[in-house]
């Protein structure tokens, strides 16, 4: 399918093949549940167009009863489950690290994130039906239908999570996003949704599940999406020594006004999002003077879902001149974000979570 078919008006497209795009931040902040047209797409290979009819999922490996089920078998056999959860790429806000020193990967602004209500069935229900040993230190590996070309290799996308997270009530095999069947670019007809974890652990176009005694050996799991200290680079870093990125750190961004905007002097509403895996956002500080002085924003969130983002908003008054607007959030553990991107720089550009800064000119 031509990638251009997935382009939507107003999107910032980082690449067509593979298709990678994020929304403008004012569009992202326009709805608590992100509309399909404004939901970022991160793909590593092609975007398969699979029909629900004919789709099958297999569950094999360290299970007592291997399964081979159609989509309607899955829906008939397991109780419906749903959750409102934020999906976020580990590379969200990478542009802020790239500005310091070049990093690899697409230079995502703060739009590689979206929030949705996901409906489907529980991954744990399926694994229990397959007779998995719930107390064992096992890993749940996923294989997908899309094919990736990377470093001269061609392989299907795969990743894994620990059995404990796979059995958690929040982890779903989703068929629907915001009440609509999954769109092709988001994993039609079935994807994994692992709330709170980096997007890479939520495989789209799921083909098979293997329960095994070690993490997936797919390059996505074994080599990519690992965090390294700042002195290492592509040639010196050993993937086996990197930290596997799973739970996402506390982060926040200013969505309005936009970077580089020219504004009229006087009242200005600042808006954005904050998120911290499964921890509540307790406070959002906003500065209009580069972090010298701070005020607290109003928060709004879905209290029923700890995995959903919090929206924040504050009325401020800006005088003529140049202003550096800054946001930092605080979570239920009393943690906040590092001030300086230098503190979190890594050559892959993951987990850019320092204070978000937006420069505006007021006339
Ligand atoms: N099969 C498959 N699943 C995948 C990917 C992929 O390329 N192929 N990308 C992952 C990454 S890195 C992210 S951030 C999320 C993005 O989900 P979205 O495109 O629905 O926003 O999907 C994840 N699941
Ligand atoms: Mo990602």
């Amino acid at each position: 399918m031509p990638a251009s078919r997935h382009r939507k008006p107003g999107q910032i497209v980082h690449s067509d093949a593979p298709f990678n795009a994020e929304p403008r931040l004012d569009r992202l902040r326009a709805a608590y549940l992100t509309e399909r047209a404004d939901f970022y797409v991160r793909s590593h290979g092609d975007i398969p167009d699979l029909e629900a009819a004919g789709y099958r999922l297999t569950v094999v490996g360290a299970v007592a009863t291997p399964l081979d089920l159609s989509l309607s078998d899955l829906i008939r056999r397991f109780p419906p489950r749903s959750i409102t959860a934020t999906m976020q790429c580990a590379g969200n806000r990478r542009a802020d690290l790239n500005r310091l020193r070049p990093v690899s990967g697409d230079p995502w602004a703060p739009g590689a994130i979206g929030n949705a209500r996901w409906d489907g069935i529980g991954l744990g229900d399926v694994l229990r039906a397959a007779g998995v040993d719930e107390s064992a230190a096992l890993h749940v590996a996923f294989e997908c239908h899309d094919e990736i070309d990377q470093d001269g290799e061609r392989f299907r996308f795969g990743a894994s999570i620990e059995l404990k997270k796979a059995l958690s009530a929040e982890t779903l095999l989703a068929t629907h996003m915001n009440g609509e069947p999954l769109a092709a670019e988001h994993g039609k007809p079935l994807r994994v949704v692992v709330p709170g974890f980096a997007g890479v652990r939520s495989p789209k176009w799921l083909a098979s599940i293997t329960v095994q005694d070690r993490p997936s050996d797919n390059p996505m799991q074994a080599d990519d999406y690992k965090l390294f200290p700042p002195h290492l680079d592509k040639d010196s870093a050993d993937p086996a020594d990197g930290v596997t990125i799973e739970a996402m750190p506390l982060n926040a961004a200013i969505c309005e006004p936009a970077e580089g905007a020219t504004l009229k002097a006087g009242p200005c509403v600042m808006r954005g999002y904050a998120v911290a895996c499964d921890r509540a956002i307790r406070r959002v500080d906003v500065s209009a003077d580069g972090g010298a002085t701070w005020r607290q924003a109003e928060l709004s969130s879905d209290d029923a879902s700890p995995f959903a983002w919090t929206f924040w908003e504050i009325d401020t008054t800006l005088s003529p001149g140049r202003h550096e607007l800054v946001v930092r959030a605080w979570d239920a553990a009393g943690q906040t974000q590092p001030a300086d991107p230098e503190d979190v720089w890594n050559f892959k550009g993951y987990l850019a979570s320092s204070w978000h800064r937006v420069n505006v000119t007021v006339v």
Side-chain angles (χ1 to χ4, degrees):
M1 188 189 311
S4 54
R5 191 172 143 190
H6 300 289
R7 279 182 175 246
K8 296 169 201 89
Q11 270 181 338
I12 301 154
V13 176
H14 293 291
S15 78
D16 265 314
F19 184 66
N20 286 308
E22 65 182 307
R24 276 180 25 192
L25 295 176
D26 57 335
R27 300 262 307 245
L28 181 66
R29 185 55 178 71
Y32 187 74
L33 294 180
T34 313
E35 307 249 334
R36 175 183 170 192
D38 299 321
F39 209 104
Y40 82 101
V41 177
R42 169 64 172 121
S43 51
H44 293 75
D46 60 318
I47 294 186
D49 196 7
L50 306 174
E51 290 308 323
Y55 173 86
R56 298 196 79 82
L57 175 70
T58 58
V59 183
V60 298
V63 293
T65 317
L67 304 175
D68 179 353
L69 298 169
S70 69
L71 195 63
S72 45
D73 293 336
L74 286 164
I75 291 162
R76 205 169 335 113
R77 197 157 155 193
F78 300 103
R81 287 189 190 269
S82 60
I83 188 159
T84 301
T86 297
M87 182 76 62
Q88 183 182 189
C89 186
N92 191 30
R93 298 191 53 205
R94 176 181 280 140
D96 287 353
L97 300 180
N98 207 37
R99 225 168 274 128
L100 285 183
R101 281 189 300 290
V103 294
S104 58
D106 287 328
W108 298 98
I113 187 169
N115 190 54
R117 181 193 148 105
W118 307 95
D119 294 295
I121 57 176
L123 174 58
D125 293 336
V126 175
L127 293 172
R128 286 183 195 97
V132 73
D133 175 356
E134 293 184 44
S135 60
L138 294 170
H139 297 259
V140 177
F142 308 107
E143 273 259 359
C144 302
H145 286 280
D146 53 328
E147 288 205 329
I148 302 169
D149 275 313
Q150 191 172 288
D151 304 328
E153 270 190 89
R154 194 165 173 81
F155 56 93
R156 289 183 191 279
F157 183 97
S160 64
I161 56 175
E162 288 181 6
L163 180 61
K164 189 166 177 262
K165 182 71 175 176
L167 291 173
S168 299
E170 71 269 12
T171 303
L172 301 190
L173 298 178
T175 55
H176 287 68
M177 187 172 164
N178 295 334
E180 304 267 351
L182 283 176
E185 67 274 21
H186 296 298
K188 181 181 104 171
L190 194 76
R191 81 174 299 171
V192 187
V193 173
V194 184
F197 275 29
V200 65
R201 312 294 164 216
S202 289
K204 307 188 271 192
W205 314 292
L206 184 61
S208 66
I209 298 175
T210 306
V211 181
Q212 55 190 48
D213 62 3
R214 59 195 183 283
S216 167
D217 58 10
N218 191 285
M220 290 295 128
Q221 186 76 28
D223 302 335
D224 291 349
Y225 296 95
K226 302 244 184 170
L227 194 63
F228 295 100
H231 64 277
L232 295 182
D233 62 18
K234 192 179 189 312
D235 300 319
S236 57
D238 178 353
D241 294 336
V243 176
T244 299
I245 298 171
E246 296 181 323
M248 289 294 282
L250 172 63
N251 212 336
I254 299 166
C255 297
E256 295 170 79
E259 169 63 34
T262 300
L263 308 168
K264 279 219 172 77
C268 167
V269 187
M270 291 174 61
R271 292 191 185 88
Y273 67 77
V275 66
C277 189
D278 61 344
R279 294 186 305 286
I281 299 298
R282 289 286 188 237
R283 198 176 102 202
V284 170
D285 297 342
V286 178
S287 172
D289 53 14
T293 61
W294 301 89
R295 286 169 57 221
Q296 280 71 55
E298 300 256 334
L299 309 184
S300 54
S301 65
D302 177 348
D303 292 336
S305 180
F307 295 98
W309 62 11
T310 292
F311 270 4
W312 60 264
E313 172 165 346
I314 191 166
D315 291 318
T316 180
T317 305
L318 297 178
S319 53
R322 290 181 60 81
H323 295 268
E324 188 185 49
L325 310 177
V326 193
V327 68
R328 67 176 184 210
W330 297 76
D331 68 18
Q335 309 259 25
T336 192
Q337 303 165 240
D340 192 342
E342 194 68 69
D343 295 334
V344 292
W345 190 94
N346 60 97
F347 79 95
K348 296 274 234 170
Y350 294 133
L351 307 185
S353 62
S354 59
W355 299 356
H356 185 227
R357 299 165 192 267
V358 161
N359 294 286
V360 295
T361 305
V362 178
V363 291

